[in-house]
Amino acid sequence: MGLSAARPNVLNRYLMREMLGTHLAVTLVLLLIIVGGTVARMLREAAEGRIPADVLMTLVALGSVRGLILLLPVSLFLALMLGLGRLYKDSEMAALQACGVGPARLYQTIAWVTAPMTALLTVLVFWGAPLASATIDQVRMDVERRSELLGVSPGRFLESRVGGRVFFIEGYTPDGAAMRDVFIQSRGADGTEVVTARRAESKVDPVTGQRYLVLHDGYRYLGRPGEREFRILEFRTHGVRVPDPEGSRRGGVDSMSTRELIGSTHRHERAEMQWRISIPVSMVLLAALALPLSHTTNPRGGRFAKLTAAIGVYIVYANFLILGKSWYASGQTPAWLGMWWVHAALVALTLALLWRQRGLRVRRRAGLGEAGA
């Protein structure tokens, strides 16, 4: 008997197929939307010269992993709402209830669907997301260590991330190893400096590791705008030091490993830990809410009858989770309360809907008994 209870029966398998098929479709649609938004953002950064094209796909893949983590709870929630809504629409839920299938049996099926998804999400949240965030930070730092002119689109002005310089290049040499017709403008205590050169290439000092732009065959203009005195120097070779961006980008708490967050006394790090715990918890709570929220007494409403309410509940819940994290990190909520009050509110809503559904069922049975009498 214990062995049969540990395996899904025919009814469970039927309901699981309905829910898993819908979940796969919803996840694919939402994932395409997230990946599309990530690709558009990265392409914009590449067009502006902030990231080179050779790391574009890496950043898109890592960004999609982080997006998938936030996507899984809501996609499962919507899939359960659509699957249960279809059962109500085709009067299959009424037939199941007439055969004695109550909320406990339905929650058993939901648990079979939710448990593996929650396990996968937990691994992604506690291990995959910090690794993806740390890798993104590292890739961006590696990009910043390259030449400032790497990734500049020919014919466009680009302001340096470090040092406040403005760059412009006409194009690249045929082999792509150097830039041609380079313009560099910077401002300092001595005034404005403008450097033009026919060709420029990036070099690294083998001893110090300092980066330089080596300019060939150009002019250097130094002076103050509005004044007549300018110094003009012609050069064959001129080196321009590129400021070291190291330290300009530091990984945040989202790139810290879970081991580093455990036992931390810093409020921001404790808030990040609670946020990571909240994501798998939210999947379980939303799955529990789907059953009473999808209940309807009007099958003609269709499988989308309660979808608007589900989306509204999720938006409110997700926004309060974000607010709860911010309030906890800033000290506006006590440490013992943390972010748990948001989950407690969702549990209270689920219990209220289950109690209401039970009351409706009891009144319907009483009405049928009176009619039979």
Side-chain angles (χ1 to χ4, degrees):
M1 176 153 181
L3 185 62
S4 62
R7 279 189 243 157
N9 54 31
V10 176
L11 176 61
N12 287 338
R13 288 196 296 270
Y14 170 72
L15 296 176
M16 285 169 60
R17 281 196 300 269
E18 175 70 27
M19 296 174 184
L20 287 174
T22 308
H23 181 227
L24 179 61
V26 172
T27 302
L28 288 176
V29 171
L30 295 180
L31 185 60
L32 285 175
I33 295 174
I34 289 179
V35 172
T38 304
V39 170
R41 186 175 68 256
M42 294 300 176
L43 287 175
R44 184 173 64 252
E45 291 189 24
E48 294 173 354
R50 287 187 282 170
I51 58 173
D54 59 334
V55 301
L56 185 62
M57 294 310 299
T58 301
L59 293 177
V60 169
L62 294 172
S64 299
V65 171
R66 296 196 302 184
L68 181 63
I69 291 172
L70 300 177
L71 166 68
L72 284 176
V74 63
S75 65
L76 179 62
F77 179 48
L78 295 179
L80 292 176
M81 291 294 300
L82 290 173
L84 294 170
R86 206 277 300 171
L87 295 178
Y88 278 107
K89 172 181 176 295
D90 296 341
S91 300
E92 292 185 26
M93 188 63 75
L96 291 174
Q97 292 173 352
C99 295
V101 177
R105 290 285 301 276
L106 293 174
Y107 270 129
Q108 185 182 21
T109 303
I110 292 175
W112 279 105
V113 176
T114 306
M117 297 295 175
T118 305
L120 172 63
L121 183 61
T122 302
V123 173
L124 289 175
V125 167
F126 288 101
W127 180 77
L131 181 60
S133 297
T135 306
I136 289 175
D137 291 337
Q138 185 61 47
V139 169
R140 289 187 176 272
M141 287 180 65
D142 291 341
V143 168
E144 289 180 349
R145 289 192 184 103
R146 303 184 189 183
S147 168
E148 290 283 359
L149 293 182
L150 182 61
V152 177
S153 300
R156 297 186 61 181
F157 288 92
L158 173 69
E159 185 174 359
S160 170
R161 292 179 293 269
V162 181
R165 289 191 176 100
V166 176
F167 294 111
F168 177 87
I169 65 172
E170 185 68 28
Y172 291 92
T173 56
D175 59 0
M179 294 135 289
R180 57 181 179 83
D181 297 329
V182 178
F183 169 91
I184 304 175
Q185 183 262 338
S186 61
R187 294 180 179 179
D190 297 331
T192 301
E193 181 184 72
V194 175
V195 178
T196 62
R198 287 187 175 274
R199 188 166 57 90
E201 54 191 355
S202 177
K203 298 290 184 180
V204 178
D205 191 315
V207 178
T208 63
Q210 178 60 55
R211 298 172 304 136
Y212 290 88
L213 289 178
V214 181
L215 309 174
H216 303 277
D217 302 327
Y219 293 88
R220 180 185 177 195
Y221 307 88
L222 180 61
R224 297 183 182 278
E227 297 183 1
R228 296 183 178 181
E229 295 183 0
F230 269 81
R231 285 189 293 171
I232 302 176
L233 301 176
E234 183 180 3
F235 60 83
R236 284 190 174 275
T237 303
H238 175 58
V240 177
R241 181 179 178 273
V242 177
D244 190 357
E246 191 144 6
S248 61
R249 178 183 295 275
R250 291 178 181 161
V253 291
D254 58 339
S255 61
M256 295 178 63
S257 66
T258 303
R259 181 177 299 178
E260 294 175 313
L261 296 178
I262 294 176
S264 174
T265 57
H266 197 281
R267 269 193 168 269
H268 286 278
E269 295 174 2
R270 294 174 67 179
E272 175 64 22
M273 187 63 189
Q274 287 206 17
W275 172 261
R276 294 183 188 181
I277 297 173
S278 294
I279 295 177
V281 170
S282 69
M283 173 175 274
V284 176
L285 296 183
L286 288 171
L289 175 65
L291 180 59
L293 188 60
S294 63
H295 178 264
T296 180
T297 57
N298 180 22
R300 296 180 181 179
R303 65 186 305 184
F304 302 102
K306 294 298 185 71
L307 197 59
T308 302
I311 294 174
V313 169
Y314 174 76
I315 290 174
V316 173
Y317 177 57
N319 278 277
F320 271 108
L321 279 179
I322 296 172
L323 284 175
K325 179 184 178 183
S326 176
W327 290 344
Y328 181 51
S330 61
Q332 297 183 44
T333 53
W336 62 267
L337 184 60
M339 299 171 58
W340 305 117
W341 60 274
V342 185
H343 304 304
L346 193 67
V347 171
L349 175 62
T350 303
L351 294 176
L353 291 175
L354 284 172
W355 181 261
R356 177 177 177 273
Q357 182 179 344
R358 181 177 180 273
L360 290 175
R361 191 162 54 248
V362 170
R363 286 198 296 270
R364 187 181 304 133
R365 287 178 182 173
L368 292 175
E370 292 176 1

